[in-house]
Amino acid sequence: MNRQIITLAALACMASAAADTIAVQNFRYAGPFAIPVPAMIDSVDVNSRKYDVASALDAPMSMEAVLKGAKDISSAVIAGLPGEAATHILSFNLSNTGYATPEILVKGLDSFRLYVDGEQAQPGAQTLTPATHRVDIRYVSKAGAADTADVKVVVPDGQAVSIGSAKRLYTLDNVLHGKRIYSTSISPDGKYLITIYSNTLPGGATSWEWVVTTLAGAPVSRFTDAVAWMPAGSRYFRFANTATGRTMIVTDAATGAESVFATGVPAGQVIVSPDEKFLIFSQTAEGPKENPDVYRILEPEDRQPGWRTRRSLARYDVATGVVTPLTFGHHNVSYLDISDDASKLLVHTSRSRLEKRPTTVNTIAILDLATLSLDTIVAEDGFIGGAIFSPDASTVIISGSPEALGGIGKNLPQDRIPSMIDTQLFSYDVKSRTFKPLTIDFNPNVTSFKWSRADNMIYLIAENRDCISAFRLNPKTGKFAQLPLGQDIVKNISLPLTGTAAAFTSQSVDNPDRLYTLNTKTLKSSLLNEPLADDLADVEFGETGAWDFVNSRGDTICGRYYLPPHFDPAKKYPMIVNYYGGCSPTSRNFESRYPHHAYAAQGYVVYVIEPSGATGFGQEFSSRHVKTAGQGVAEDIIEGTKRFCAEHPYVDASKIGCIGASYGGFMTQYLQTVTDIFAAAISHAGISDHTSYWGEGYWGYSYSEVSMGDAYPWSNPDLYVKQSPLFNADKIHTPLLFLHGDADMNVPVGESIQMFTALKLLNRPTAFVAVADQDHHITDYQKRIRWQDTIFAWFAKYLKDQPQWWESMYPEVAL
């Protein structure tokens, strides 16, 4: 396409009188569309007005539909129709990488309407957040007239605005809206897929859809309520409320034939037994509370809603409809797996043990469904997690931290405490009752695992440095092999009972959600769907790439960068640094709570660093998170930032911002106490005082078992106090923004309040923005937008010297 692109740099070369005025000469044009004179039933309308051809502007029109047939024009003279009035559409794109207030002036057209991003606007000054905005001029020409459109955009000094680019900038709208893949599931016979999609529209309305297709992607059926596969074949089930109660309906994907499988099914999720003779489900009962208004807290976890609710397992017999309990007691019981012959369950129970780390201990047992007897595999081990059966139930695979099972999976010096969330796998031989570590020399951090009935291999998904990869473990040889799937992030993988077909969902740093099929024999994958492909087809992204460095301790620290679209290496750019918010790496997701592509689109270089303590790099690396309270992490971030600037002269080292959430929010605060390299900092839901968070957060003391190991405020005050930003507040001079949901139960809002108070008393540049009724994550649609705009505006103020956006959102108030 021939498009006019005028950048701020080009405008600066013009005479000062015209330096900020852009004459729009190239448009997308649709028309002319004849306006026939309507049949005159009366001489005036209901408001006593005579007919005027300009009233055609009041008629509804879908700009998107009309502009599909538009053409590019560069002439300002628009010819009308001989003998008839006509409607015309002139459209152009206006892009601004910062908050902008350009004036849009339209002359030469008598009857017109101006629209910006589909909304009617008055000619003159517009308030535009960073984005590519579509400007439409809808006007009416008189019969035979030829109008000359004189359209100008007047840009205030210092604002970066361009006109006419065929590509759009990536914005928060792209992050919030559109269709995404939640997960996929292949039928047991490997012939069909059920894929779950979510679709969010502008305004925040989100719908869900379960789509049944062939492996080639041909549609079979779709539902707005959940469907799932039966244990064999290609039949799926769903629930419907009928006169006989909750009814389970089974459909054959090949024929479409439906049948009632069970009626009066108890509420909640069910597990269909492999022989399809019974269902397993959970029953719940809530323990008593003396008084809802004045109540006793039995232990710290009792503050959490639902803590006194206990789950037990029950069985629904399909033939008779009879429900029988499988477990009884006052401890929670959870289902883990069922053997292929439907004779045994793997179950999990837990209880509190506050006097010793870890404060919650778990038990895994095999429940014999014939005798209802329990055979305990692991008793009261606080470091174990889930478990699955092998196909013949002779082996159980158990997940847990390196300290599980007496530390047989630990690969660290004896005095080093591993990270409790660096998940390992162990095998248990049912006959010999012996355990074996499987991943002791495997660095990736296991997040899920399945034992394939089709090829007898164990498939697992694991954090693999800053990627999430799929691996295959041969249980006979103990060898791991990474599956060559060609994507940075494997979200889930689904395996059949038979055959070589599988399916997985994924995304990468440069592509959104994708659905693939996989041949497990040849390891060839085929792309089935990328639901956001059309939405992003005209979006322009900057370059991304890996950037690792060897730090002063000799460690290779992993990272990556994002460059702005239209990147010019001769220019200087501000930079934003982002780092992990817990113990997990900041993965290569296309989208995240901090959308890196959206920052880059606003003209920032983005540097994502994976400092010491992150999982996915091996036990030694992740153990550095423990009992350090950020010290090594901060050193890596500071060194990496300095090194990146030194090796990339296009970064303006005086305009670097940093941002993190939760533990990353703590890291933002802590960094400002030990360095002055940042020009602006943002802490979302950050910990300011390890001692107060330890006792007040819902997961404060239990998370401290991960981050602080065996240290407590009374046993190691140096760690809890000296490493807390609050006790070093006087060292902070960086402008520091605190963001916090005021209903945050993970990191209580007081963590931001007390640090904000300290900085205000010290007369340091700071701000505190609370988000009403939001917890640890900001999920409300409208509040998420304002929260994100607050972040954008803070960085624009201090990294771009453009305070207008911040001042428009948070004007100074004299009190």
Side-chain angles (χ1 to χ4, degrees):
M1 297 181 182
N2 177 26
R3 293 297 188 110
Q4 172 199 18
I5 303 176
I6 301 179
T7 65
L8 191 62
L11 290 173
C13 298
M14 301 179 183
S16 60
D20 299 317
T21 299
I22 307 172
V24 184
Q25 297 172 341
N26 298 297
F27 300 91
R28 292 284 289 164
Y29 170 75
F33 304 105
I35 305 174
V37 177
M40 294 295 179
I41 305 300
D42 298 297
S43 60
V44 295
D45 65 10
V46 70
N47 292 307
S48 301
R49 295 177 301 188
K50 292 185 177 181
Y51 173 73
D52 184 348
V53 69
S55 64
L57 294 172
D58 297 325
M61 174 180 283
S62 171
M63 296 292 191
E64 288 76 11
V66 171
L67 288 171
K68 286 181 180 179
K71 61 183 180 181
D72 293 316
I73 64 170
S74 57
S75 172
V77 179
I78 311 300
L81 290 175
E84 285 188 284
T87 299
H88 312 256
I89 306 294
L90 290 173
S91 183
F92 64 94
N93 283 348
L94 183 156
S95 295
N96 51 295
T97 57
Y99 185 82
T101 54
E103 286 187 86
I104 301 177
L105 306 178
V106 181
K107 296 181 180 180
L109 305 177
D110 291 334
S111 300
F112 72 92
R113 298 274 172 82
L114 179 69
Y115 299 84
V116 178
D117 296 329
E119 299 291 332
Q120 187 174 340
Q122 294 299 316
Q126 313 294 320
T127 299
L128 304 177
T129 57
T132 297
H133 307 275
R134 197 185 76 214
V135 180
D136 302 319
I137 302 167
R138 178 183 177 188
Y139 75 100
V140 170
S141 64
K142 297 179 180 179
D147 295 313
T148 301
D150 180 9
V151 182
K152 291 184 173 65
V153 177
V154 181
V155 184
D157 289 342
Q159 296 185 5
V161 174
S162 63
I163 303 296
S165 174
K167 291 285 190 177
R168 294 186 294 118
L169 295 174
Y170 186 80
T171 69
L172 185 61
D173 283 348
N174 299 112
V175 178
L176 296 178
H177 307 145
K179 193 172 187 178
R180 288 161 178 80
I181 303 171
Y182 179 75
S183 67
T184 194
S185 175
I186 196 168
S187 60
D189 62 3
K191 296 180 180 179
Y192 295 87
L193 293 175
I194 294 173
T195 305
I196 306 174
Y197 294 92
S198 66
N199 189 25
T200 301
L201 301 176
T206 299
S207 60
W208 290 83
E209 193 173 38
W210 284 255
V211 180
V212 184
T213 66
T214 66
L215 283 192
V220 174
S221 56
R222 59 187 64 230
F223 300 89
T224 55
D225 292 314
V227 296
W229 295 115
M230 294 292 285
S234 54
R235 297 165 300 132
Y236 56 86
F237 69 88
R238 58 189 173 88
F239 289 103
N241 293 320
T242 67
T244 54
R246 189 173 182 236
T247 299
M248 188 172 172
I249 300 171
V250 173
T251 304
D252 188 302
T255 65
E258 289 189 348
S259 60
V260 172
F261 182 76
T263 59
V265 178
Q269 185 178 7
V270 300
I271 306 297
V272 184
S273 66
D275 59 8
E276 300 186 8
K277 291 183 178 180
F278 58 90
L279 309 175
I280 301 293
F281 66 98
S282 289
Q283 293 179 315
T284 60
E286 186 174 4
K289 182 171 286 189
E290 297 86 353
N291 187 295
D293 299 315
V294 181
Y295 54 89
R296 178 178 56 158
I297 295 175
L298 300 178
E299 58 181 72
E301 298 291 325
D302 193 21
R303 297 175 299 151
Q304 300 186 35
W307 180 81
R308 297 194 184 195
T309 298
R310 297 293 187 265
R311 297 185 306 275
S312 61
L313 297 178
R315 172 171 50 193
Y316 171 97
D317 185 78
V318 173
T320 65
V322 174
V323 173
T324 54
L326 296 177
T327 65
F328 175 81
H330 64 271
H331 288 109
N332 275 317
V333 180
S334 303
Y335 164 91
L336 294 176
D337 199 6
I338 187 169
S339 61
D340 288 2
D341 64 2
S343 67
K344 305 179 189 69
L345 293 185
L346 275 174
V347 298
H348 170 278
T349 67
S350 63
R351 74 170 182 88
S352 297
R353 182 192 61 187
L354 299 180
E355 66 277 7
K356 183 180 178 182
R357 173 185 180 269
T359 53
T360 299
V361 292
N362 309 295
T363 296
I364 293 177
I366 298 174
L367 174 64
D368 188 304
L369 290 173
T371 64
L372 297 187
S373 60
L374 287 169
D375 177 14
T376 299
I377 296 175
V378 186
E380 299 203 336
D381 187 328
F383 301 105
I384 60 171
I388 59 170
F389 280 120
S390 65
D392 62 0
S394 66
T395 303
V396 176
I397 302 297
I398 300 170
S399 65
S401 77
E403 295 174 89
L405 306 172
I408 64 171
K410 183 179 175 182
N411 185 12
L412 287 171
Q414 190 61 35
D415 60 347
R416 185 80 70 84
I417 299 175
S419 169
M420 284 179 64
I421 67 162
D422 197 332
T423 305
Q424 310 294 308
L425 295 182
F426 308 86
S427 65
Y428 170 76
D429 184 274
V430 175
K431 185 176 181 180
S432 66
R433 306 184 74 83
T434 57
F435 296 93
K436 178 182 177 182
L438 298 177
T439 55
I440 190 168
D441 296 313
F442 181 70
N443 283 339
N445 176 45
V446 179
T447 57
S448 66
F449 53 101
K450 303 174 183 179
W451 199 314
S452 170
R453 271 55 179 167
D455 61 11
N456 201 38
M457 304 286 273
I458 300 171
Y459 288 76
L460 51 107
I461 295 175
E463 292 172 346
N464 181 24
R465 296 173 65 83
D466 61 346
C467 296
I468 299 177
S469 306
F471 296 85
R472 189 159 59 182
L473 167 62
N474 187 326
K476 294 181 179 179
T477 66
K479 301 295 184 182
F480 290 89
Q482 183 175 342
L483 302 183
L485 303 184
Q487 290 282 280
D488 294 339
I489 306 294
V490 178
K491 295 171 60 177
N492 86 303
I493 188 166
S494 180
L495 306 166
L497 286 179
T498 60
T500 60
F504 67 93
T505 60
S506 62
Q507 60 179 241
S508 290
V509 69
D510 291 320
N511 67 260
D513 285 349
R514 288 178 175 175
L515 170 65
Y516 287 89
T517 55
L518 172 70
N519 185 306
T520 56
K521 185 175 182 180
T522 65
L523 296 183
K524 299 294 185 182
S525 56
S526 300
L527 177 63
L528 276 188
N529 193 16
E530 184 180 328
L532 282 176
D534 289 342
D535 291 352
L536 299 178
D538 62 345
V539 173
E540 186 165 17
F541 295 95
E543 175 189 324
T544 63
W547 189 77
D548 301 349
F549 75 99
V550 178
N551 69 11
S552 55
R553 296 191 299 269
D555 303 317
T556 297
I557 302 298
C558 172
R560 64 185 183 275
Y561 63 84
Y562 301 70
L563 299 180
H566 305 294
F567 172 73
D568 181 353
K571 291 179 60 177
K572 288 284 190 179
Y573 292 89
M575 185 169 77
I576 296 173
V577 181
N578 185 213
Y579 28 79
Y580 67 75
C583 308
S584 298
T586 305
S587 299
R588 291 173 172 260
N589 300 77
F590 181 75
E591 300 166 333
S592 70
R593 176 165 41 174
Y594 302 108
H596 303 119
H597 285 293
Y599 292 123
Q602 294 185 23
Y604 298 101
V605 173
V606 180
Y607 171 42
V608 178
I609 183 172
E610 311 294 352
S612 297
T615 51
F617 296 83
Q619 289 188 33
E620 196 282 328
F621 197 85
S622 64
S623 71
R624 301 178 192 178
H625 182 84
V626 185
K627 228 170 181 178
T628 61
Q631 186 172 7
V633 182
E635 291 169 359
D636 288 342
I637 294 171
I638 294 167
E639 187 173 359
T641 301
K642 289 180 177 179
R643 290 275 296 276
F644 191 92
C645 292
E647 295 186 23
H648 302 89
Y650 51 75
V651 175
D652 183 347
S654 69
K655 295 294 184 182
I656 305 173
C658 61
I659 186 169
S662 197
Y663 182 89
F666 151 71
M667 185 50 54
T668 291
Q669 298 177 39
Y670 177 73
L671 280 166
Q672 313 322 307
T673 70
V674 295
T675 185
D676 59 359
I677 64 172
F678 298 106
I682 297 177
S683 166
H684 171 69
I687 302 163
S688 64
D689 178 1
H690 294 301
T691 61
S692 56
Y693 170 66
W694 177 87
E696 293 181 11
Y698 268 8
W699 299 279
Y701 75 93
S702 56
Y703 173 70
S704 292
E705 294 176 2
V706 179
S707 63
M708 299 301 198
D710 57 3
Y712 298 91
W714 55 88
S715 67
N716 195 336
D718 283 354
L719 185 66
Y720 276 85
V721 175
K722 289 185 178 180
Q723 290 293 109
S724 290
L726 181 63
F727 295 95
N728 296 278
D730 58 325
K731 301 173 184 176
I732 297 178
H733 296 275
T734 305
L736 178 52
L737 168 65
F738 298 94
L739 294 167
H740 223 120
D742 70 5
D744 193 337
M745 296 291 102
N746 183 347
V747 178
V749 67
E751 292 298 311
S752 286
I753 293 172
Q754 60 192 1
M755 194 64 181
F756 170 71
T757 302
L759 295 183
K760 291 296 284 187
L761 293 177
L762 290 164
N763 196 29
R764 304 293 160 77
T766 187
F768 174 39
V769 175
V771 188
D773 305 316
Q774 292 293 282
D775 203 333
H776 201 51
H777 299 277
I778 309 303
T779 58
D780 178 89
Y781 177 83
Q782 294 295 343
K783 294 172 185 176
R784 164 74 191 275
I785 293 172
R786 187 167 177 87
W787 172 81
Q788 187 69 68
D789 284 349
T790 299
I791 294 171
F792 290 149
W794 184 261
F795 280 143
K797 178 178 180 178
Y798 288 102
L799 302 186
K800 292 183 174 182
D801 296 322
Q802 297 174 359
Q804 297 90 343
W805 196 354
W806 178 266
E807 292 169 355
S808 72
M809 296 183 70
Y810 304 103
E812 289 296 323
V813 178
L815 296 177

